Structure formats: C-alpha cells, structure tokens
Amino acid sequence: MLFLALCIAFSVISIYTIRRFGIQSVVTTVKSSFQPCYEEPNSFQQWIRPPSNLIHTMSDKELLWRASIVPRIKKYPFRRVPKVAFMFLTKGPLPLAPLWERFLKGHEGLFSIYVHSLPTFHANFPPSSVFYQRQIPSQVSEWGRMSMCDAERRLLANALLDISNEWFILLSESCIPLYNFSVIYHYILKSGYSFMGAFDDPGPYGRGRYNDNMAPEVDIAQWRKGSQWFEVNRKLAINIVGDTTFYPKFEKFCRPACYVDEHYFPTMLTIEAGNLLANRSITWVDWSRGGPHPATFGRSDVTVDFFKRIVEGKNCTYNNRASSICFLFARKFAPSALEPLLQLSPKVLGF
C-alpha cells in the first residue's frame, strides 16, 4: 500500500510539473558526441591543383609511379597555362639566387621552382622568395654515378606532379640565364624539339665506354653522349621517369670510367624519341681550359665583352632553320660573380 501511494504521488507531481514548465525541463537532453567523417569534395580542382607542399613521404618507386600516370585524352578540359619548371641540382646554397629572383620577377604563374640539395642542407629563404619551401625530398648524389641520374629523375618526377608544368630545365647553382624571361619562355614555347645533346662519339670517351652487356636493349650503334644539362618537354620527362627498360642496364654496366649522367638519358631518348631531340644543349659551358670540368668564372671575368663572346657569332639550328640564338643559359659562375652580374644584367641580359 505504501509503494502504491508513492507511485500515485510521483505521477501527480510529474503531471503537474509537465503542465506548468513543459516537457523540455523534465526530459534530460543528451547531445551526441558523434561527428561524421569530413571528406573533401571530390572536385575536379583537387586533381589539377599543384601540390601545396613539396615535402612528402613517397619513396622513389612510389614517386616515379605517381609521376608517370598520363591521361589518355590529350585535350585539357580547363584553361591550362603551360609553365617552365626550373630544376636546380645543387649540393647546398644557391649563391646566385638574387639574380634568379630578378629574372623571374613579374612572371608568376609561368614558372615553378624545384631544388634538389643534400638531405642535410636546409635553405633559409624568406617567404617572399621564389625559392621559399621549394626543396624536394632529396638523397645524396655522386657525380658520374647512377645516384646523379636518380636525383635528376627525382626532380622531374616532383615537377610532373604539377600538371601545368610543360617544360623542364635542369640547372646547377652555378647557372645563369642569358636573356630575360620572356625571350627564354617563348624560345622554348615555340620550339618543336627538346634540347638535349645526343651525339655519337666514336672515340674512347664515347663508344669506348660502351659495355657489350648493354645489348640487346642498347646496341653500340645506338650509344650516345651528351651534356648533363638539358631541357625536355612533358612527354620526354614522362619517358625518363617511367623508364624500367634501360635503367637496370645503365645502373649495372655504366660505371666509372663510364659516366652514366653523360650517356643514360641521351641514349634512351635517342632510341625512344630521337625525332623529338634538337641534339644540342642550350646551356653554354667553356671547356677550352681542359680537364674533367669546365671553366669557372668569377668577379673579374664578368664583363660586357665576356657576354658578347658567349652570345654573339653563334650558329645553330632552331626548328630546322638557321639561328644565331643558340644558348639560353651559361655556367659555371662562382659566388664572387654575383655582384658584377647584378650590375650588368639590365644592360647585357635584359632584366
């Protein structure tokens, strides 16, 4: 009887409370802590947008695979402005960076920068610099060995991740441009060929480096030699990063005194797409002093007459026609050359 009385009393109190204050004050509201997973809309922009950060955790194998993916439809379904990828292969600092900053100023949207340095080197460019946070994940590379070609393929692969990059130029920290940006951009834009030296050298430093074990993939008649510094279009860049046929042969059978960075790309591209090569480099170097490396130029070398000797009186073929503009870049320039380069660039370089 006592229990029944308590139940009746509780019911009466509850009915009175609900009528007077409403149900919301009686029923405790429990707010769920469950949050649905957020997924970025699968928009077209995320497929064509360049990577916001060049630092990634992909291995070389993963990177090369990702960079070699090619759309089957050639016509772009958006307005694509083709860009030039300037790829700097360096051990550390870029002492001529102020000259490149001046060269690139005002041409944003028409170029990209990629820097491959020693893994232990950390650049300290300000946020306003075109070189700010443009280092890619790098590994140690040795001159004349396959690790040097690995570094070049790594640069190409990272640059290919930006679908707007159409031309790829390999440079060193000692390279400078010989003309203003507009001249160089349109020279490359209008060219029907990529610029890579690939010639048949019958001597000991050409065919003399050929190993019979390169056959059947590479016959001695296909063996080529060329400068390490090149410019290639997107199609050839994809050929280079996607190669699995010639790489094992060169890695195993082209070792010093066979310098693989002088033979791998020229030979492979001659076999696969020789009709797309201009068979010359657009980077000027001076070998007149002899030795295994070209001449280096410092402060006292940089004069108006010096640049006249580089650009004047030259003859070459451009789109199957004679041309007097043969070189767009030059090397090797020491850090001490920066000050006179900056002083002379408006007059002799056009920027």
Side-chain angles (χ1 to χ4, degrees):
M1 292 297 292
L2 180 61
F3 175 75
L4 182 59
L6 289 173
C7 289
I8 293 171
F10 179 78
S11 299
V12 170
I13 294 172
S14 298
I15 293 171
Y16 173 78
T17 303
I18 291 171
R19 286 180 176 177
R20 183 171 181 83
F21 301 106
I23 194 170
Q24 294 298 328
S25 62
V26 178
V27 179
T28 303
T29 302
V30 178
K31 188 176 288 186
S32 173
S33 61
F34 172 76
Q35 297 291 332
C37 295
Y38 174 77
E39 293 185 7
E40 183 180 343
N42 194 18
S43 68
F44 183 65
Q45 287 298 319
Q46 76 180 81
W47 291 96
I48 64 174
R49 187 189 307 126
S52 58
N53 191 342
L54 296 185
I55 301 302
H56 55 74
T57 58
M58 286 185 284
S59 66
D60 276 358
K61 185 180 293 187
E62 294 167 337
L63 173 65
L64 296 175
W65 179 87
R66 172 65 183 84
S68 64
I69 296 176
V70 183
R72 297 286 297 274
I73 299 176
K74 294 183 179 180
K75 187 176 181 179
Y76 294 94
F78 60 95
R79 184 178 178 272
R80 177 180 181 261
V81 178
K83 296 192 296 186
V84 178
F86 295 99
M87 308 180 303
F88 289 85
L89 180 59
T90 174
K91 291 183 178 180
L94 293 170
L96 304 179
L99 184 70
W100 284 97
E101 298 267 9
R102 181 185 292 182
F103 166 75
L104 295 168
K105 186 176 180 180
H107 301 284
E108 292 76 10
L110 295 177
F111 68 86
S112 303
I113 298 287
Y114 302 87
V115 180
H116 187 294
S117 59
L118 288 174
T120 54
F121 175 76
H122 300 285
N124 190 28
F125 290 103
S128 59
S129 170
V130 296
F131 293 99
Y132 180 67
Q133 294 185 346
R134 301 310 295 175
Q135 282 183 274
I136 66 168
S138 307
Q139 296 182 29
V140 175
S141 57
E142 297 181 70
W143 176 73
R145 297 189 177 274
M146 200 51 155
S147 60
M148 183 65 73
C149 293
D150 290 336
E152 295 169 14
R153 295 177 91 202
R154 205 172 290 124
L155 278 165
L156 284 169
N158 278 278
L160 281 167
L161 297 182
D162 184 344
I163 200 168
S164 292
N165 286 332
E166 183 62 28
W167 306 285
F168 306 80
I169 302 175
L170 184 66
L171 303 159
S172 74
E173 72 275 14
S174 65
C175 285
I176 66 164
L178 292 175
Y179 298 93
N180 62 45
F181 183 89
S182 295
V183 171
I184 291 178
Y185 182 86
H186 286 95
Y187 190 96
I188 295 171
L189 169 70
K190 295 178 181 179
S191 175
Y193 300 90
S194 288
F195 296 95
M196 178 178 289
F199 60 94
D200 183 4
D201 180 358
Y205 303 115
R207 289 198 180 197
R209 295 173 176 175
Y210 176 80
N211 187 318
D212 290 336
N213 289 306
M214 299 290 291
E217 286 79 6
V218 181
D219 185 81
I220 191 169
Q222 300 169 313
W223 186 254
R224 294 293 183 270
K225 181 180 179 180
S227 170
Q228 176 184 5
W229 313 103
F230 59 78
E231 179 277 327
V232 294
N233 62 21
R234 191 172 184 89
K235 173 180 170 56
L236 296 188
I238 292 171
N239 281 19
I240 291 173
V241 303
D243 172 49
T244 57
T245 301
F246 302 99
Y247 183 95
K249 288 286 186 174
F250 279 90
E251 182 182 33
K252 190 172 182 180
F253 299 116
C254 184
R255 298 183 177 185
C258 175
Y259 299 104
V260 68
D261 53 284
E262 295 180 359
H263 296 281
Y264 174 32
F265 297 157
T267 300
M268 182 197 73
L269 291 182
T270 296
I271 295 172
E272 291 191 338
N275 62 313
L276 299 180
L277 299 180
N279 195 16
R280 66 180 178 90
S281 173
I282 51 174
T283 301
W284 179 88
V285 292
D286 180 7
W287 291 97
S288 63
R289 301 180 188 179
H293 301 287
T296 299
F297 304 100
R299 175 188 296 270
S300 61
D301 297 300
V302 180
T303 63
V304 173
D305 289 337
F306 170 78
F307 281 105
K308 285 183 178 180
R309 292 196 301 270
I310 295 177
V311 300
E312 293 182 359
K314 299 294 188 292
N315 294 290
C316 58
T317 301
Y318 175 76
N319 285 338
N320 301 317
R321 295 183 179 182
S323 175
S324 60
I325 299 180
C326 302
F327 298 106
L328 304 182
F329 307 94
R331 64 185 302 268
K332 302 170 58 173
F333 289 85
S336 63
L338 176 62
E339 184 178 344
L341 284 171
L342 290 172
Q343 291 176 351
L344 289 177
S345 68
K347 180 178 180 180
V348 299
L349 304 180
F351 62 90

